[in-house]
Amino acid sequence: MKNLPLMPLMAKIRQHLADQPDKVLSFHDYMALCLYDPEDGYYMKEQVKVGKEGDFYTSASLGEFMGEMIARQYLRFQLEGERPLPVVEWGGGTGEMAKHFLDAVERLNPVVYQGLAYWLVEKSPYHRAMQQKTLRRHAMHTQWGGPEEGGGLPCRAFVFSNELLDAFPVHRVRMERGEWKELYVAWDSGKECLVEREGPCTPAVREYLDQEGIRLLEGQTAEVNLQARSWVKEQASRLEEGVLLTIDYGDTAEELYSSHRMNGTLLCYRGHLAYDDPFRFPGEQDMTSHVNFTACIRAGKEGGIQQETLRTQKEFLVDNGLLELMADHSSPDPFGPEARRNRAIRQLLLSDGMSELFKVLLQTKGLSLA
């Protein structure tokens, strides 16, 4: 399929390819351009991405319930009389999750809310502006920090992310004739389109495959998310005491690299349609892959994590009392507030995309549940 000629990012991609001695980019570098190019990357552009008018839904876009469940989990670590544990959210998107979290803490424990400091780490100027607008009522409790500000995040904290790691750029590999091959991106001048090329694995990718003990069948393709493992280890190492809560698409290595996943887990989203062609709309589509939680658990331990639990999102929600929020109602109006509330809860619990495919990794360091 030919790429659309008017895509602003395409000229940059072709220039990057032309600048390489072998005229190829790793899939990781290609995906990084597609998602995070400062002007034309998907996440960096000023356009709606989440919700009905965007390309995909998140748990925050289905109502306030996920934010409240995270708040309830947070409050279980809050010991009476202690200074409230600061919160650090990475990749908060529109700010809706932060709003729901802060609304819930304010309602459930006003004393903790009064002393709460909520940090947001956001790379996109567009999303940061949206967060500031969404969180205006909680402005006394919110601040922005992280790599864009040169650090400054608290070392004693409750750190969480929702659908962050699945959007990190990945390398792609394939088993061919008993040897590892890495997948690269090239330009086919005859067909005038981006194409896939096989080549040798970069040393960091090969080291990951060996360390994680990954084995594939002949012809099987998989993703390698080096950045996710590094991010978890970095957060765990930085924490002197605290919690790291990671919510994302993903599974254990045994499941992710099993024989029924011959084509890996990479997916693209545009206009609420999912497909597996990463070259179709570069810079105009979301791109994700499932997170290897086995690698994340190992990385956390390397960073000093002492305890961890891995649950499905459904288990996490039920454990934190979501079923208690189901409203009893006898109204015949299917569009009434109680009916809408119950539908949102059922969607979180029963939808394949929001219940079993999502996992929740809770890692702790120097803290135990109150």
Side-chain angles (χ1 to χ4, degrees), residues 24-30 170-176 180-186 195-202 205 219-223 262-264 266 278-279:
V24 299
L25 287 173
S26 69
F27 188 85
H28 170 278
D29 291 351
Y30 167 75
V170 297
H171 296 264
R172 303 194 79 199
V173 296
R174 182 175 295 149
M175 181 60 66
E176 292 286 0
W180 287 112
K181 296 293 183 181
E182 186 165 349
L183 304 186
Y184 295 83
V185 178
V195 293
E196 177 186 285
R197 293 280 188 265
E198 291 184 356
C201 285
T202 55
V205 170
Q220 187 175 2
T221 301
E223 292 77 37
M262 290 298 293
N263 296 317
L266 185 79
F279 304 142

Side-chain angles (χ1 to χ4, degrees), residues 335-350:
F335 302 104
E338 294 88 356
R340 291 200 303 270
R341 180 183 182 90
N342 288 347
R343 277 199 301 273
I345 291 175
R346 282 194 294 270
Q347 189 168 359
L348 278 173
L349 290 174
L350 302 178

Side-chain angles (χ1 to χ4, degrees), residues 101-114:
F101 180 102
L102 289 164
D103 287 346
V105 173
E106 183 181 26
R107 186 181 74 255
L108 296 171
N109 196 323
V111 174
V112 170
Y113 175 77
Q114 287 303 314

Side-chain angles (χ1 to χ4, degrees), residues 202-331:
T202 55
V205 170
R206 187 56 190 264
E207 181 182 6
Y208 179 98
L209 296 169
D210 292 340
Q211 288 181 345
E212 300 299 328
I214 297 171
R215 299 290 182 267
L216 300 181
L217 298 178
E218 179 68 20
Q220 187 175 2
T221 301
E223 292 77 37
V224 169
N225 194 333
L226 300 178
Q227 191 173 342
R229 187 175 68 171
S230 297
W231 183 87
V232 170
K233 184 176 180 179
E234 179 182 339
Q235 300 313 307
S237 299
R238 185 181 56 80
L239 284 177
E240 296 173 0
E241 181 182 61
V243 180
L244 181 57
L245 183 70
T246 307
I247 305 171
D248 231 314
Y249 277 109
D251 218 312
T252 61
E254 181 181 10
E255 165 61 24
L256 286 185
Y257 304 116
S258 62
S259 59
H260 70 277
R261 292 190 182 275
M262 290 298 293
N263 296 317
T265 65
L266 185 79
L267 282 176
C268 302
Y269 294 89
R270 191 170 190 263
H272 296 285
L273 295 176
Y275 48 91
D276 61 0
D277 183 356
F279 304 142
R280 192 171 183 181
F281 300 108
E284 307 291 332
Q285 61 190 4
D286 188 23
M287 300 170 69
T288 75
S289 70
H290 283 25
V291 174
N292 178 357
F293 279 104
T294 300
C296 292
I297 290 172
R298 182 177 291 110
K301 290 179 178 177
E302 292 173 357
I305 289 296
Q306 296 161 340
Q307 291 183 317
E308 73 277 329
T309 59
L310 181 64
R311 292 171 280 179
T312 66
Q313 180 171 285
K314 179 178 181 179
E315 292 169 333
F316 171 79
L317 294 170
V318 171
D319 289 347
N320 282 288
L322 182 62
L323 290 176
E324 301 168 9
L325 302 183
M326 293 283 286
D328 293 327
H329 71 96
S330 56
S331 171

Side-chain angles (χ1 to χ4, degrees), residues 128-165:
R128 181 178 299 199
M130 292 187 70
Q131 291 168 9
Q132 291 171 341
K133 182 178 179 180
T134 301
L135 297 170
R136 190 171 298 158
R137 194 175 74 80
H138 298 290
M140 293 295 293
H141 299 274
T142 55
Q143 55 192 311
W144 281 258
E148 302 302 308
E149 287 74 26
L153 298 175
C155 295
R156 179 180 180 270
F158 180 94
V159 181
F160 83 92
S161 66
N162 181 60
E163 297 188 60
L164 173 72
L165 276 61

Side-chain angles (χ1 to χ4, degrees), residues 5-180:
L6 297 181
M7 288 184 186
L9 188 63
M10 183 56 70
K12 293 182 180 180
I13 293 172
R14 294 190 63 179
Q15 185 59 55
H16 277 278
L17 287 168
D19 291 341
Q20 304 305 309
D22 49 5
K23 310 305 179 188
V24 299
L25 287 173
S26 69
F27 188 85
H28 170 278
D29 291 351
Y30 167 75
M31 185 171 173
L33 282 170
C34 289
L35 297 181
Y36 299 107
D37 177 80
E39 293 84 26
D40 300 311
Y42 176 78
Y43 288 131
M44 308 302 284
K45 289 188 293 189
E46 296 187 4
Q47 66 183 41
V48 177
K49 304 170 186 69
V50 182
K52 185 177 180 181
E53 303 302 320
D55 298 306
F56 55 89
Y57 290 101
T58 68
S59 53
S61 64
L62 296 178
E64 71 272 19
F65 306 108
M66 176 56 80
E68 177 166 340
M69 294 305 104
I70 297 174
R72 291 188 178 201
Q73 180 73 78
Y74 163 77
L75 289 171
R76 294 176 68 189
F77 288 99
Q78 187 59 53
L79 298 177
E80 186 176 353
E82 284 194 353
R83 185 179 178 182
L85 197 64
V87 177
V88 179
E89 181 186 4
W90 282 73
T94 63
E96 287 297 319
M97 185 73 81
K99 178 182 182 300
H100 299 155
F101 180 102
L102 289 164
D103 287 346
V105 173
E106 183 181 26
R107 186 181 74 255
L108 296 171
N109 196 323
V111 174
V112 170
Y113 175 77
Q114 287 303 314
L116 177 59
Y118 195 105
W119 295 72
L120 296 103
V121 182
E122 179 56 61
K123 187 175 183 179
S124 165
Y126 171 67
H127 285 142
R128 181 178 299 199
M130 292 187 70
Q131 291 168 9
Q132 291 171 341
K133 182 178 179 180
T134 301
L135 297 170
R136 190 171 298 158
R137 194 175 74 80
H138 298 290
M140 293 295 293
H141 299 274
T142 55
Q143 55 192 311
W144 281 258
E148 302 302 308
E149 287 74 26
L153 298 175
C155 295
R156 179 180 180 270
F158 180 94
V159 181
F160 83 92
S161 66
N162 181 60
E163 297 188 60
L164 173 72
L165 276 61
D166 73 330
F168 286 167
V170 297
H171 296 264
R172 303 194 79 199
V173 296
R174 182 175 295 149
M175 181 60 66
E176 292 286 0
R177 295 178 293 280
E179 295 184 0
W180 287 112

